[in-house]
Amino acid sequence: MSIKFTRWPDVDAARYRAKGYWLDLPLTDILSRHQGGDALAVVCGERHFSYADLDRLSTGLAAALRRRGLVSGDTALVQLGNVAEFYLVLFALLKIGVAPVNAIFSHQRNELAAYAAQIKPSLLIADRQHGLFTDNLFIDELRRAYPSLRVVAMNHDSSPAFSLAQWLDEAPGAFTATPTPADEVAFFQLSGGSTGTPKLIPRTHNDYYYSIRVSVDICRFDRDTRYLCALPAAHNYPLSSPGALGVFYAGGSVVLAADPSANLCFPLIARHRINVTGLVPPAVALWLQALEQWGDSGQLASLQLLQVGGAKLSETLAARIPAQLGCRLQQVFGMAEGLVNYTRLDDDDHHVFTTQGRPMSPDDEVWVADEQGNPLPAGQIGRLMTRGPYTIRGYYQSPEHNAAAFDDAGFYCSGDLIELTADGYLKVQGREKDQINRGGEKIAAEEVENLLLRHPAVVNAALVSMADALVGEKSCAYIVALTPVKPVALRRHLRQLGVAEFKLPDHFELVGELPLTPIGKVDKRRLRELIETSTITPATGE
């Protein structure tokens, strides 16, 4: 049984194979190419895992899941944090052809229920340390809604019926890996999205493996690479750009951090001689602030390369990185749908500080469209359009989204507003879609607005971005209510609906009515202008 998704046209697929982009190898080749070596692969707290350990433990789990009825073509809902088990589970599922959705650990009931509704999972793997899974209430809720869910495993659970740790350590017996074919779906990534329904991105072995390999070449990862994964491990950026999978491909080591805070990461960098990591701009600002407060203790002496992506990096902040952190900067601009751009390691300061890089593949087709869909010349700002050997041709089971996001020639419109320079570099100028980028975490305004409208006092709601020096953008909710309602009550309402913490509005403003455009839509541009000109002061919450 294979998962239905929008495939690349045969002529393009043939070209990508002929050029050596698609190797028709499963992603499990990332491990098997090392033949179970003793080199250090993962450091998770005080636990150390070699490549042989990754292979053995993931095989044990794969066999345990197969014995419990999982088969190729099934889907899984997985929610694990920055722990070694995240990678062990991923490789185990790849080995038996089960395609997971890897939820971010900060996601709550609202997000997980939406993912489950789309994939109808046969398997759930989560963590008892997450608030949703301290008991079995949400598990039972999912099982009632989705009878397909027949197997559940929990990290930090000692009972044989649920214990992920025990399943990892089961003897595999006469196990043979059966990954899905390389041109089939390996797993689903999550779209940042600007609509209320989270979209799932089907990534195949062929396209994702190509993206990883090229990223490794551009970023020069090798066996000496010691990579600190401080961003959420499931995010596309720290997973494949080159991320942990790139490190594993190259034979280096991944050190896991629970979060990107300076007080946690600086000692890890010093202890493990970390030489590369990836951050989002707000974390960079906090690192620089920490250095100013603490002084240079030499903890970052081993750091050679800092990748920055997830949101636009200001030129001022970019210039401070080599000057104050003492390492090389590489800007990364990519998307879970495919296209990844890097500044190159031998680029001059002008390109590194002022652009978000250039596409990594010779067959990445990138152009800029005006509002009518016509091509714009270099230097003009418009919508990013792209297609290529690792950019999807459609979201999973989303015909309406696909009709809006892909043109007839298969070009993907990401919703980013960019300028393409004469030498092929991208400068990101903003977002066309109604989306807030809070420190690299994407918030779909429509989703939060719809949930606010479920409060009995709320008549209308509009969520817009506010510029913020620390996280780039914060959110302000404008509320029209029947009766006065306090921000603390609205936040409590959203929490009760299971909304992730980062999606809660930072500020609230109660207004008598919302401004409208000539065609009757809420004029969010006007609301943002009111904030920028400081004609209103949004009411803070708790």
Side-chain angles (χ1 to χ4, degrees), residues 99 134 286 290 526:
T134 54
L286 290 174
R526 176 60 181 154

Side-chain angles (χ1 to χ4, degrees), residues 40 61 111 201 256 316 329 380 483 491 505:
L40 180 63
L61 178 58
E111 291 82 12
I201 301 166
L256 288 160
T316 301
L329 165 66
Q380 293 196 25
T483 56
R491 282 205 177 91

Side-chain angles (χ1 to χ4, degrees), residues 469-503:
L470 185 59
V471 297
E473 291 181 344
K474 285 187 175 181
S475 61
C476 177
Y478 288 86
I479 304 294
V480 180
L482 291 171
T483 56
V485 58
K486 293 183 177 180
V488 64
L490 293 173
R491 282 205 177 91
R492 186 183 304 117
H493 162 75
L494 291 174
R495 286 193 180 101
Q496 290 172 346
L497 293 176
V499 173
E501 196 72 15
F502 69 85
K503 294 183 181 180

Side-chain angles (χ1 to χ4, degrees), residues 291-541:
L291 275 181
E292 291 173 353
Q293 292 174 347
W294 305 341
D296 185 3
S297 64
Q299 288 181 302
L300 304 184
S302 63
L303 191 63
Q304 298 173 8
L305 177 65
L306 176 62
Q307 296 181 302
V308 181
K312 185 176 180 179
L313 179 67
S314 72
E315 183 177 349
T316 301
L317 198 60
R320 292 177 63 189
I321 290 171
Q324 293 178 246
L325 296 181
C327 61
R328 180 181 288 154
L329 165 66
Q330 181 178 51
Q331 293 215 40
V332 185
F333 169 58
M335 54 203 69
E337 288 82 357
L339 178 70
V340 181
N341 304 270
Y342 295 103
T343 56
R344 301 318 199 246
L345 299 186
D346 53 0
D347 278 344
D348 58 36
D349 287 349
H350 173 74
H351 284 88
V352 172
F353 296 162
T354 68
T355 80
Q356 281 65 61
R358 56 184 170 90
M360 65 180 186
S361 171
D363 274 68
D364 278 324
E365 302 174 72
V366 177
W367 57 283
V368 181
D370 64 17
E371 292 182 358
Q372 289 73 44
N374 301 311
L376 288 170
Q380 293 196 25
I381 298 171
R383 292 179 294 163
L384 170 62
M385 305 292 292
T386 185
R387 69 180 183 187
Y390 60 101
T391 297
I392 63 166
R393 293 300 180 98
Y395 291 107
Y396 181 62
Q397 295 184 353
S398 300
E400 292 184 4
H401 290 317
N402 291 341
F406 296 86
D407 69 12
D408 293 339
F411 281 93
Y412 170 59
C413 179
S414 70
D416 296 288
L417 296 175
I418 68 162
E419 171 191 342
L420 198 59
T421 68
D423 56 353
Y425 283 72
L426 279 69
K427 292 185 177 182
V428 178
Q429 304 295 338
R431 292 285 297 174
E432 182 182 49
K433 298 177 181 178
D434 191 9
Q435 183 187 71
I436 297 163
N437 189 337
R438 193 185 192 283
E441 295 284 4
K442 310 301 193 302
I443 304 170
E446 180 184 337
E447 177 189 12
V448 179
E449 290 162 357
N450 288 338
L451 294 173
L452 285 168
L453 288 170
R454 291 169 61 177
H455 190 285
V458 175
V459 177
N460 207 347
L463 193 75
V464 297
S465 63
M466 303 176 61
D468 182 82
L470 185 59
V471 297
E473 291 181 344
K474 285 187 175 181
S475 61
C476 177
Y478 288 86
I479 304 294
V480 180
L482 291 171
T483 56
V485 58
K486 293 183 177 180
V488 64
L490 293 173
R491 282 205 177 91
R492 186 183 304 117
H493 162 75
L494 291 174
R495 286 193 180 101
Q496 290 172 346
L497 293 176
V499 173
E501 196 72 15
F502 69 85
K503 294 183 181 180
L504 298 178
D506 296 287
H507 302 275
F508 289 86
E509 177 70 11
L510 296 180
V511 294
E513 60 182 14
L514 297 175
L516 302 178
T517 66
I519 60 173
K521 293 185 177 182
V522 175
D523 191 346
K524 292 193 172 182
R525 178 178 296 180
R526 176 60 181 154
L527 292 176
R528 285 188 286 266
E529 288 174 352
L530 290 174
I531 295 173
E532 291 171 359
T533 56
S534 301
T535 57
I536 59 98
T537 303
T540 58

Side-chain angles (χ1 to χ4, degrees), residues 100-150:
V101 171
N102 294 308
I104 307 304
F105 202 69
S106 61
H107 287 168
Q108 298 291 337
R109 172 181 278 102
N110 201 56
E111 291 82 12
L112 296 189
Y115 304 145
Q118 293 179 72
I119 66 169
K120 309 293 190 299
S122 301
L123 169 68
L124 169 68
I125 296 180
D127 198 313
R128 289 296 187 194
Q129 294 186 345
H130 190 285
L132 276 178
F133 299 105
T134 54
D135 55 33
N136 290 341
L137 291 178
F138 185 56
I139 297 172
D140 293 340
E141 180 183 320
L142 287 174
R143 278 177 157 159
R144 287 192 297 271
Y146 307 105
S148 60
L149 180 55
R150 57 188 186 271

Side-chain angles (χ1 to χ4, degrees), residues 1-52:
M1 181 177 67
S2 62
I3 295 170
K4 294 182 179 179
F5 71 106
T6 306
R7 298 177 180 274
W8 284 260
D10 290 344
V11 63
D12 292 332
R15 186 171 80 255
Y16 298 152
R17 285 186 172 93
K19 291 190 172 185
Y21 302 155
W22 292 4
L23 300 180
D24 287 319
L25 291 172
L27 286 168
T28 52
D29 183 67
I30 291 172
L31 274 188
S32 59
R33 69 195 303 266
H34 298 297
Q35 299 179 339
D38 294 330
L40 180 63
V42 177
V43 176
C44 181
E46 298 304 314
R47 299 184 297 160
H48 291 65
F49 299 81
S50 68
Y51 281 88

